[in-house]
């Protein structure tokens, strides 16, 4: 019987000349690691069965509903795997009719910290995924036609739009609004009230356009030019306010740098029941990282009755965290800017 990794690679190879998925291709290495983790984790039996059920669907990689469900399951398991690699032990919470988070910290405490994992899909969900698959298929068809016509070099363009169609000059605004909207659409009442609970967002499908932890700051300076300024997408996802101005990257000197107002409230600003936010991000060419966002006003309680939550949070994020007052902004950096903030 084939392993999950073997079944995954067989499907990827089968569709490689039909309509290769850029989302899957970009994260193939990480997906294989997660599938191996699932098969070797005794408590991941349900995840293993759910993924195996998807793999039994003919051409599942071309089915947008199956592909979206697969990425959501992989995103949940990836967080579990990364947490375990960092020495934090979680217990999977058994699903029931009552709404509950996905994991809780292994602890002797009466109420252990909990973690609710959401893998955000692209804007438009399976409809957009289907559109990207169609674009990929048309590109492959064009390549085949060019080769059959005897061309020495065949080229084609395919499009991936995880944040949907973006109006020119509104890139940063569209990204932040989409992240907030997708997150809020995934929040369920009652999942964050039984104990200190972190919301975990896996951004495998809709990572931001810019690498580096400076996205955890309200404002990001100095990239790609020394005079450049943009709003930090992840900070605004958590703490943005409707009247906040959104700063975007100007195409040239002298073009206005303010895109407009955010017109959204950040997730942590609007939902006091959520103790903190963790983001699973995938920097280009790097291993996945976990970023963290918390409220500065909660610091005292984290040092006292929520000490277990604090210890787990900082063990997972290391230096990649910030709060609503930009307390840790001084040591955050741009991967795309040689490590400079």
């Amino acid at each position: 019987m084939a392993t999950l990794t073997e079944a995954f690679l067989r499907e990827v190879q089968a569709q490689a000349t039909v309509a290769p998925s850029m989302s899957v291709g970009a994260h193939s290495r990480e997906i294989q690691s997660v599938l191996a983790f699932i098969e070797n984790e005794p408590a991941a039996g349900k995840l293993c069965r759910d993924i195996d059920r998807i793999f039994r669907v003919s051409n599942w990689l071309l089915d947008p509903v199956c592909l979206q469900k697969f990425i959501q399951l992989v995103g949940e398991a990836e967080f579990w795997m990364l947490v375990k690699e960092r020495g934090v032990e979680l217990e999977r919470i058994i699903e029931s009719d009552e709404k509950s988070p996905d994991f809780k910290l292994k602890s002797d405490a009466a109420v252990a910290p909990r973690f609710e994992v959401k893998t955000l899909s692209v804007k438009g969900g399976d409809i957009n995924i289907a559109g990207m698959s169609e674009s990929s298929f048309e590109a492959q068809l064009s390549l085949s036609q060019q080769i059959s016509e005897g061309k020495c070099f065949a080229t084609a363009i395919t499009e991936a739009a995880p944040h949907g169609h973006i109006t020119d000059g509104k890139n940063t605004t569209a990204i932040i609004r989409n992240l907030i909207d997708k997150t809020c659409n995934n929040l369920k009442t009652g999942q964050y009230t039984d104990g200190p609970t972190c919301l975990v967002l896996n951004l495998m499908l809709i990572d931001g356009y810019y690498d580096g932890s400076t996205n955890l700051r309200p404002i990001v300076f100095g990239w790609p030019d020394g005079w450049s300024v943009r709003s930090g997408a992840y900070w605004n996802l958590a703490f943005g306010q409707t009247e906040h101005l959104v700063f975007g990257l100007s195409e040239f000197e002298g073009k206005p740098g303010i895109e407009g107002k955010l017109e959204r409230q950040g997730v942590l600003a609007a939902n006091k029941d959520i103790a903190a936010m963790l983001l699973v991000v995938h920097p280009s060419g790097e291993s996945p990282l976990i970023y963290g966002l918390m409220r500065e006003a909660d610091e005292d309680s984290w040092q006292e009755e929520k000490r277990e939550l604090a210890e787990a949070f900082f063990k997972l994020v290391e230096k990649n965290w910030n709060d609503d007052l930009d307390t840790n902004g001084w040591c955050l950096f741009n991967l795309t800017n040689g490590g400079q903030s």
Side-chain angles (χ1 to χ4, degrees):
M1 181 178 177
T3 65
L4 291 181
T5 301
E6 291 169 343
F8 166 72
L9 290 175
R10 185 166 58 238
E11 178 70 9
V12 170
Q13 291 164 1
Q15 306 304 337
T17 58
V18 180
S21 168
M22 287 190 288
S23 300
V24 170
H27 301 293
S28 178
R29 183 182 62 182
E30 291 93 336
I31 291 172
Q32 292 177 60
S33 297
V34 171
L35 294 177
F37 166 79
I38 291 172
E39 290 194 298
N40 290 295
E41 172 55 54
K46 185 177 184 304
L47 276 172
C48 189
R49 292 190 296 274
D50 289 343
I51 290 176
D52 181 67
R53 194 174 298 115
I54 291 173
F55 285 178
R56 293 178 185 275
V57 176
S58 179
N59 297 319
W60 65 267
L61 197 56
L62 300 179
D63 184 324
V65 176
C66 287
L67 177 56
Q68 185 169 236
K69 180 62 176 176
F70 170 70
I71 294 295
Q72 289 170 345
L73 293 171
V74 167
E76 181 179 324
E78 182 180 45
F79 172 70
W80 192 0
M81 178 185 74
L82 294 174
V83 167
K84 196 163 188 176
E85 289 175 353
R86 287 158 173 75
V88 177
E89 289 293 329
L90 300 181
E91 291 181 1
R92 188 167 175 79
I93 297 175
I94 299 175
E95 293 183 11
S96 65
D97 293 335
E98 296 182 3
K99 295 175 182 178
S100 62
D102 297 302
F103 301 98
K104 65 179 180 179
L105 195 68
K106 278 190 178 180
S107 167
D108 295 327
V111 181
R114 301 165 182 230
F115 302 86
E116 171 65 13
V117 184
K118 303 292 185 184
T119 303
L120 300 186
S121 185
V122 300
K123 187 171 185 177
D126 51 13
I127 295 176
N128 193 0
I129 291 175
M132 287 189 281
S133 293
E134 183 177 355
S135 175
S136 178
F137 172 76
E138 290 174 350
Q140 291 299 311
L141 183 62
S142 175
L143 291 173
S144 297
Q145 290 174 338
Q146 292 175 55
I147 292 171
S148 66
E149 292 169 357
K151 289 188 176 181
C152 297
F153 298 97
T155 61
I157 297 175
T158 185
E159 181 179 277
H163 292 282
H165 174 73
I166 296 178
T167 303
D168 184 40
K170 297 284 187 179
N171 285 33
T172 304
T173 303
I175 291 170
I176 297 170
R177 287 179 181 175
N178 187 39
L179 288 171
I180 292 174
D181 292 345
K182 297 294 292 187
T183 302
C184 290
N185 289 339
N186 277 277
L187 297 180
K188 297 178 182 177
T189 304
Q191 286 187 314
Y192 306 92
T193 56
D194 291 340
T197 304
C198 286
L199 171 62
V200 182
L201 301 178
N202 192 315
L203 303 181
M204 179 178 287
L205 281 178
I206 58 170
D207 269 352
Y209 285 9
Y210 310 102
D211 288 338
S213 57
T214 47
N215 273 310
L216 297 171
R217 302 197 69 183
I219 296 292
V220 182
F221 301 90
W223 189 88
D225 299 296
W227 50 266
S228 299
V229 175
R230 74 173 188 275
S231 296
Y234 300 151
W235 187 93
N236 279 278
L237 162 63
F239 302 117
Q241 296 291 341
T242 56
E243 295 300 309
H244 280 176
L245 296 177
V246 178
F247 295 83
L249 291 180
S250 301
E251 295 178 88
F252 51 83
E253 295 179 13
K255 184 175 181 179
I258 296 177
E259 297 182 356
K261 293 183 178 180
L262 181 56
E263 298 179 356
R264 299 287 193 282
Q265 189 174 25
V267 176
L268 290 185
N271 298 273
K272 303 303 181 184
D273 288 340
I274 301 175
M277 182 184 291
L278 295 171
L279 308 173
V280 180
V281 299
H282 305 79
S284 301
E286 304 288 336
S287 298
L289 297 171
I290 299 178
Y291 290 172
L293 289 153
M294 59 173 289
R295 303 178 189 87
E296 193 276 338
D298 293 340
E299 184 178 358
D300 289 344
S301 66
W302 278 38
Q303 299 304 320
E304 296 173 6
E305 64 266 24
K306 297 179 182 177
R307 180 176 292 275
E308 279 193 322
L309 172 63
E311 291 176 350
F313 179 90
F314 289 111
K315 196 168 187 177
L316 295 178
V317 304
E318 297 178 331
K319 293 183 178 180
N320 297 315
W321 67 276
N322 208 1
D323 59 28
D324 48 338
L325 299 187
D326 196 32
T327 301
N328 200 47
W330 64 276
C331 68
L332 300 176
F333 62 92
N334 266 323
L335 292 182
T336 44
N337 192 27
Q340 300 299 312
S341 178

